[in-house]
Amino acid sequence: MQINKRLMRLILEHVKDYCCPGDGIDNPEIDGYDDIEVGYHIMLCAEANYLKVQELSAMGNPYRYKIIHVTWKGHEFLQSTN
């Protein structure tokens, strides 16, 4: 799978808009992308330090996360892609 910066931006925007501090959210559904693509790009965002996540184990999908928040670096990425 290749890096899709558009999908990364969509994920970060979703988290920024819908994640309440302290609560976290599960992998969001993003129109046009399947669960594996979204989960893989959440992992990439976490590796790039754009998102703070907690890994969850789920049968059949290795890319399940509880997303805690967008990091400072994630906000900078969003500003640089606008």
Side-chain angles (χ1 to χ4, degrees), residues 14 33 52 77:
H14 181 89
Y33 300 96
K52 174 78 172 167
F77 174 80

Side-chain angles (χ1 to χ4, degrees), residues 36-50:
I36 299 293
E37 288 175 295
V38 171
Y40 180 76
H41 282 78
I42 291 169
M43 178 195 70
L44 292 175
C45 286
E47 288 178 347
N49 198 30
Y50 294 161

Side-chain angles (χ1 to χ4, degrees), residues 2-3 17-18 26-27 29 32-35 40-41 43-44 46-48 50-51 57 62 67 73 75 77 79 81:
Q2 293 187 4
I3 294 174
D17 292 343
Y18 295 103
D26 292 334
N27 290 22
E29 291 184 16
Y33 300 96
D34 65 33
D35 289 343
Y40 180 76
H41 282 78
M43 178 195 70
L44 292 175
E47 288 178 347
Y50 294 161
L51 288 174
S57 60
I67 303 169
K73 193 170 179 180
H75 283 285
F77 174 80
Q79 289 178 347
T81 58

Side-chain angles (χ1 to χ4, degrees), residues 9-38:
R9 188 175 129 322
L10 290 171
I11 292 166
L12 291 168
E13 286 286 348
H14 181 89
V15 174
K16 180 179 68 80
D17 292 343
Y18 295 103
C19 187
C20 295
D23 291 340
I25 59 172
D26 292 334
N27 290 22
E29 291 184 16
I30 306 290
D31 288 340
Y33 300 96
D34 65 33
D35 289 343
I36 299 293
E37 288 175 295
V38 171

